[in-house]
Amino acid sequence: MADFLKIEQDGPVVTLTLNAPERRNAISGFEDCDEVEAACKRIARDDSVRCVIVTGADPAFCAGGDLKGMRDRKGIMAADSPAVMRENYRRGIQRIPLALWELDVPTIAAVNGAAIGAGLDLACMCDMRISSDKAIFAESFVRVGIVPGDGGAWLLPRAVGLAMAAEMSFTGDPLNAEQALAARLVSRVVPHAELMGAARELAARVAKNPPQVLRMTKRLLREGQHMSLHSLLELSAAFQAIAHETEDHKEAVNAMLEKRQGVFQGR
C-alpha cells in the first residue's frame, strides 16, 4: 500500500494524517481510498479506541480531488466512458464517506489548511471540526465543471444548513476560518500552532468517557438524522437497557457520588 495515510495512536486516541503534502493531500488513486477505508475498519474493531482525529500534513488539510489526474484521466479519473467513471466513483472516493460515517467512534477534523471540494466534504464527514486560523473552506466542484461526487450535497447542508450550503455550492466561493465559524461549519478557530493541541485536548475530553456509551451515543445521533422520533425512542430504550447493565455505568455513578474521575474499562 502507499503511504497516503499516517496512523498514530496515543492511548485511546488515533490520529489519521493525510500525508501527501506534495499534492496538498489530494485524493488521487484507489489506493488512497483503500487506506482510509482500512483504517476505519481497523479502528472499528479496536475497542481501545475512543476518539479519532483526522488532519492533513501541512500546508493543506485536503485539496480534494487531483486536478492533474482529472485532466490526464489518471488514477480514479481513468475512464473512457460515463459508465466506467460512475463505477470509479463508487469503487473509489465514495467508500470514504461510507467508512467514516459508519465509524461508531467519535471523530474530530483538525483542519490545518485548505479544505477544498472533497477535502471540505471530508471535514464534514467528521462529527466535530476545529479550524486553524490559516484554514480555508470551499465547496468548489462547480468551479471545475463537476458536481459533488462524494456525498457533499448530503453532508454540507447538515453542517451549515441548506441556504448556506447552496450558496457555497453554487458559487464555489471560499470561506476563511472566521467565516466558517460564523457559518457554524467549525466549532472553534485557534492559532495554527495550537491546532493539534486543541484537537488532542478535545479528544481527551471525549475519550475519558465510557467507550461503549460513546459509540452508542454517536449511533443515536447518526440514526436520529433520518428516523422518526418514535423509532429513535425505541432505539434509545434498547441502547439504554444495554448501558445500564455495563460495569462502566456503575463506575460512572459511583465516581459521580464520590466526586472523583471514573476509570472505565469498556465493560
Side-chain angles (χ1 to χ4, degrees):
M1 295 183 99
D3 294 322
F4 176 67
L5 197 66
K6 181 180 179 182
I7 304 172
E8 301 170 287
Q9 183 163 357
D10 182 9
V13 178
V14 170
T15 301
L16 303 178
T17 304
L18 278 61
N19 193 33
E22 72 283 355
R23 52 181 156 104
R24 301 174 72 224
N25 306 317
I27 299 168
S28 178
F30 291 101
E31 297 83 2
D32 300 343
C33 306
D34 292 340
E35 290 193 52
V36 176
E37 184 180 49
C40 290
K41 288 182 177 179
R42 193 196 85 175
I43 290 165
R45 294 191 298 266
D46 186 348
D47 291 337
S48 73
V49 180
R50 302 187 188 184
C51 195
V52 174
I53 299 170
V54 180
T55 192
D58 280 340
F61 176 73
C62 176
D66 182 357
L67 287 179
K68 291 182 179 178
M70 291 182 194
R71 180 194 63 193
D72 301 336
R73 292 297 181 103
K74 292 181 177 179
I76 297 175
M77 300 294 109
D80 57 9
S81 73
V84 172
M85 185 67 79
R86 174 175 178 258
E87 287 304 310
N88 283 358
Y89 270 87
R90 296 173 70 191
R91 295 170 181 167
I93 197 168
Q94 289 186 353
R95 287 184 292 143
I96 294 178
L98 293 173
L100 280 167
W101 193 258
E102 289 301 316
L103 193 60
D104 282 337
V105 178
T107 54
I108 301 166
V111 185
N112 57 301
I116 307 298
L120 170 57
D121 296 343
L122 175 64
C124 291
M125 294 169 203
C126 297
D127 304 306
M128 298 162 276
R129 288 171 291 281
I130 298 176
S131 173
S132 158
D133 56 4
K134 293 184 178 181
I136 60 169
F137 304 82
E139 189 75 346
S140 56
F141 297 93
V142 69
R143 293 282 187 94
V144 290
I146 57 175
V147 302
D150 60 343
W154 192 89
L155 293 157
L156 188 58
R158 284 166 167 77
V160 299
L162 183 58
M164 189 62 188
E167 180 176 332
M168 293 177 69
S169 301
F170 296 159
T171 66
D173 291 345
L175 303 181
N176 63 29
E178 292 300 329
Q179 290 170 323
L181 180 63
R184 298 187 177 182
L185 179 58
V186 300
S187 60
R188 76 178 93 159
V189 176
V190 299
H192 185 76
E194 299 175 14
L195 176 65
M196 291 310 298
R200 293 187 186 104
E201 186 273 334
L202 176 57
R205 287 195 285 122
V206 171
K208 71 181 182 181
N209 293 304
Q212 292 179 339
V213 169
L214 283 174
R215 294 183 182 217
M216 287 191 287
T217 300
K218 175 169 174 175
R219 181 51 49 188
L220 286 176
L221 289 171
R222 286 283 192 256
E223 298 303 320
Q225 294 189 57
H226 60 81
M227 273 186 168
S228 67
L229 175 59
H230 183 273
S231 296
L232 184 69
L233 289 172
E234 288 295 320
L235 183 60
S236 300
F239 281 5
Q240 197 73 303
I242 296 169
H244 273 288
E245 297 305 314
T246 62
E247 293 180 23
D248 281 350
H249 164 62
K250 299 177 181 67
E251 165 64 7
V253 172
N254 289 332
M256 188 76 71
L257 292 172
E258 296 165 12
K259 295 180 170 44
R260 60 175 174 83
Q261 178 63 51
V263 179
F264 304 116
Q265 305 297 323
R267 298 194 295 267

